[in-house]
Amino acid sequence: MNRKIVCFAGLKKFFGDETSVEVAPEESYANLLEKLGELNPEAKEVLTSCRIAVNEKFVPLDETIKDQTTLFLIPPSSGG
Amino acid sequence: MNRKIVCFAGLKKFFGDETSVEVAPEESYANLLEKLGELNPEAKEVLTSCRIAVNEKFVPLDETIKDQTTLFLIPPSSGG
Amino acid sequence: MKHIQNTAINYSELFDDFRHPHSGAVVLFSGEVRDNNKGRAVTHLEYEAYAPMANKMISEILEEAKSRFKLNQAACVHRVGRVEISGCAVVVITGSGHRKEAYDANRYIIDRVKNEVPIWKHEFFADGTSEWGQNCDCVSNDHHNHQHHHHYERAE
Amino acid sequence: MKHIQNTAINYSELFDDFRHPHSGAVVLFSGEVRDNNKGRAVTHLEYEAYAPMANKMISEILEEAKSRFKLNQAACVHRVGRVEISGCAVVVITGSGHRKEAYDANRYIIDRVKNEVPIWKHEFFADGTSEWGQNCDCVSNDHHNHQHHHHYERAE
């Protein structure tokens, strides 16, 4: 199953505004971050501190990717 | 020597806008507060927490009253 | 006088003027008149000051805060005269590179102004009485050990 | 969106509207763009946000602050888009009966907004380069143990 991933801020340098990754059933969000790191090894460091949001809520990374909606890849906040 | 004392806020109830007290040479500001307490015993309690200012500066109460200028009797602050 | 005024404090204007290219954090505190105090309905306040001394002391407190904290700017204005409910009695503005200093300095200034500067609050209550404050924020009834424990009803 | 906007923040108006008869203390924090950061001259910033989520999270943080502290009111607006030097990037206003709560709640809100809400700062430097922040106020170089340690130069 191909999942659409929306990227923000500095992540766009590595993946553009959005990218997509093929995920198998039972894979977790952490697995998805790993795959993104393989896609672009330069992004590996920042990916270790990224969170993932689904439906405007952060998801625990060890959870299985469950729904069909778009994933949002959230780098560390730097507002204010 | 008769000293003029300017009063503020709640002190006016006891002494009016200003009052005067006769002080002998070598008397301290603390002595002056005592005399004011004798003038109006109801004021004794608040006088224990009053400060005295001369030339826009607080003076140590145990100091001898030394100059000719007006004394300002300063009750506890309650601004803000 | 710069720090004492008997007309409404225009904090918007004070704040708009308070820009500094090195300031990343600006904190404004406004002390306002509440409609109640210790369970009693308040109609308005009147502030009295020993104005020249109060002005001088506030100026000194601001200078001390600027050197103690890393402030680019600091301002404080206190009202005298009648202030209505929700009216601004005192304003403190601090500007610094980072927010910690701006907050800490702001609080330092207002605490010292409230505790030390010769300004007095006269509270007018809905029942027609009035009282000279008493400034303590302390909720405790143990007022014996500090010096701000007085309130004395005014004979009307 | 109530808490995210791409036009200048009119803090004077926000502050003027922020009156409450039970509030004795109103604290306003304005986070502004400094002309320098870590020794480098800054020309301006641009903020990006995952706006619907940021808006929702700020709203939740305000509600939590209101119940955690004794606040009568709380407001927060964050800019997106280009903000010039001395421009306001974020404003937080809190109103409470007493000043301690107003200060503490204000700081609680800005700390959480800066650390948690999906908003990102893009710094533009005088030398023509730019960088995505890096938000930490920490002065220490030991960035290994917390999660806000990234900055990555953008290929222009």
Side-chain angles (χ1 to χ4, degrees):
Chain A
M1 170 176 58
N2 217 31
R3 299 303 301 268
K4 190 171 102 173
I5 299 156
V6 173
C7 297
F8 293 102
L11 289 173
K12 292 178 185 169
K13 176 185 161 187
F14 305 116
F15 304 111
D17 285 355
E18 57 180 69
T19 187
S20 66
V21 167
E22 186 63 32
V23 292
E26 301 303 312
E27 282 198 290
S28 69
Y29 295 104
N31 295 143
L32 183 129
L33 288 177
E34 257 171 62
K35 286 184 176 178
L36 284 166
E38 284 155 23
L39 241 155
N40 189 335
E42 283 183 51
K44 274 186 183 172
E45 199 200 336
V46 64
L47 285 168
T48 62
S49 58
C50 280
R51 292 171 293 176
I52 290 173
V54 178
N55 294 324
E56 299 173 15
K57 275 209 178 91
F58 292 115
V59 290
L61 295 182
D62 57 359
E63 240 176 42
T64 303
I65 304 175
K66 44 177 175 282
D67 64 29
Q68 303 297 325
T69 64
T70 303
L71 304 176
F72 294 80
L73 189 55
I74 311 285
S77 299
S78 61
Chain B
M1 174 176 57
N2 217 31
R3 299 303 300 269
K4 190 172 104 174
I5 299 155
V6 174
C7 297
F8 293 101
L11 290 171
K12 292 178 184 170
K13 175 186 160 187
F14 304 117
F15 303 111
D17 285 355
E18 56 180 70
T19 186
S20 65
V21 167
E22 187 65 30
V23 290
E26 302 301 312
E27 281 198 291
S28 69
Y29 295 104
N31 295 144
L32 183 130
L33 289 178
E34 258 173 63
K35 285 186 176 178
L36 283 167
E38 283 156 23
L39 243 155
N40 189 335
E42 283 183 52
K44 274 184 182 173
E45 197 199 337
V46 64
L47 285 167
T48 63
S49 58
C50 281
R51 291 171 294 175
I52 290 172
V54 178
N55 294 324
E56 298 174 15
K57 274 206 179 97
F58 291 116
V59 290
L61 294 182
D62 57 359
E63 240 175 41
T64 302
I65 304 174
K66 44 177 175 280
D67 64 27
Q68 302 297 323
T69 63
T70 303
L71 304 176
F72 293 80
L73 190 56
I74 310 287
S77 300
S78 61
Chain C
M1 249 171 282
K2 199 174 172 190
H3 304 296
I4 304 292
Q5 71 181 50
N6 61 10
T7 52
I9 295 175
N10 190 340
Y11 34 62
S12 301
E13 202 177 274
L14 280 170
F15 191 75
D16 286 340
D17 289 346
F18 212 80
R19 300 275 82 76
H20 194 290
H22 297 173
S23 285
V26 176
V27 172
L28 179 148
F29 169 83
S30 171
E32 308 190 348
V33 178
R34 270 179 297 142
D35 66 0
N36 68 90
N37 194 15
K38 299 183 181 86
R40 299 178 68 186
V42 171
T43 59
H44 68 283
L45 299 186
E46 278 176 25
Y47 286 95
E48 183 179 327
Y50 175 20
M53 187 170 175
N55 192 59
K56 200 179 115 189
M57 284 183 75
I58 290 177
S59 171
E60 287 164 0
I61 290 168
L62 292 176
E63 284 312 307
E64 221 173 295
K66 275 198 220 169
S67 73
R68 202 179 174 113
F69 302 89
K70 287 175 194 152
L71 297 185
N72 297 315
Q73 303 146 281
C76 175
V77 178
H78 202 298
R79 273 297 304 278
V80 287
R82 180 180 174 125
V83 187
E84 307 294 338
I85 303 301
S86 287
C88 178
V90 56
V91 70
V92 176
I93 319 182
T94 48
S96 185
H98 297 278
R99 66 189 185 282
K100 180 176 169 26
E101 287 81 12
Y103 279 112
D104 290 349
N106 201 285
R107 205 153 168 182
Y108 170 87
I109 293 165
I110 190 62
D111 285 350
R112 288 199 55 193
V113 167
K114 285 190 176 230
N115 288 329
E116 298 174 26
V117 175
I119 302 174
W120 304 277
K121 168 163 67 183
H122 197 179
E123 288 183 295
F124 291 82
F125 299 103
D127 62 12
T129 64
S130 75
E131 207 170 275
W132 285 95
Q134 206 175 352
N135 203 16
C136 18
D137 273 345
C138 42
V139 185
S140 130
N141 289 319
D142 176 19
H143 282 182
H144 300 291
N145 296 322
H146 70 96
Q147 66 167 139
H148 309 288
H149 67 295
H150 293 275
H151 60 118
Y152 15 97
E153 291 265 345
R154 187 193 214 183
E156 293 297 311
Chain D
M1 249 171 281
K2 200 174 171 189
H3 305 297
I4 305 291
Q5 71 181 50
N6 60 9
T7 53
I9 295 175
N10 190 341
Y11 34 62
S12 301
E13 201 176 276
L14 279 170
F15 192 74
D16 286 342
D17 289 346
F18 213 79
R19 301 274 83 76
H20 194 291
H22 296 172
S23 284
V26 177
V27 172
L28 179 148
F29 169 83
S30 170
E32 308 191 348
V33 178
R34 271 178 297 142
D35 65 1
N36 69 90
N37 194 14
K38 300 182 180 88
R40 301 178 69 186
V42 172
T43 60
H44 67 282
L45 299 186
E46 279 176 24
Y47 286 95
E48 182 179 328
Y50 175 19
M53 188 170 173
N55 192 60
K56 200 180 114 188
M57 283 181 76
I58 291 177
S59 170
E60 287 164 359
I61 290 168
L62 293 175
E63 284 312 306
E64 219 172 297
K66 275 199 221 170
S67 73
R68 201 178 173 112
F69 302 89
K70 286 175 196 153
L71 298 185
N72 297 316
Q73 301 146 282
C76 174
V77 179
H78 202 299
R79 272 298 303 278
V80 287
R82 180 181 174 124
V83 187
E84 308 294 338
I85 304 299
S86 287
C88 177
V90 56
V91 69
V92 176
I93 319 182
T94 47
S96 185
H98 297 278
R99 67 189 183 282
K100 181 176 170 23
E101 287 81 13
Y103 279 112
D104 290 350
N106 202 285
R107 207 155 169 179
Y108 170 86
I109 292 165
I110 191 62
D111 286 350
R112 289 198 57 193
V113 168
K114 285 190 177 230
N115 289 328
E116 298 173 27
V117 176
I119 301 174
W120 304 277
K121 168 163 67 184
H122 196 181
E123 289 184 295
F124 291 82
F125 298 104
D127 62 12
T129 64
S130 75
E131 206 172 274
W132 284 96
Q134 203 175 351
N135 202 17
C136 18
D137 274 344
C138 41
V139 185
S140 131
N141 289 319
D142 175 19
H143 282 180
H144 301 291
N145 297 320
H146 70 94
Q147 65 166 141
H148 309 288
H149 67 296
H150 294 275
H151 62 118
Y152 16 97
E153 291 267 342
R154 186 193 216 184
E156 291 299 311

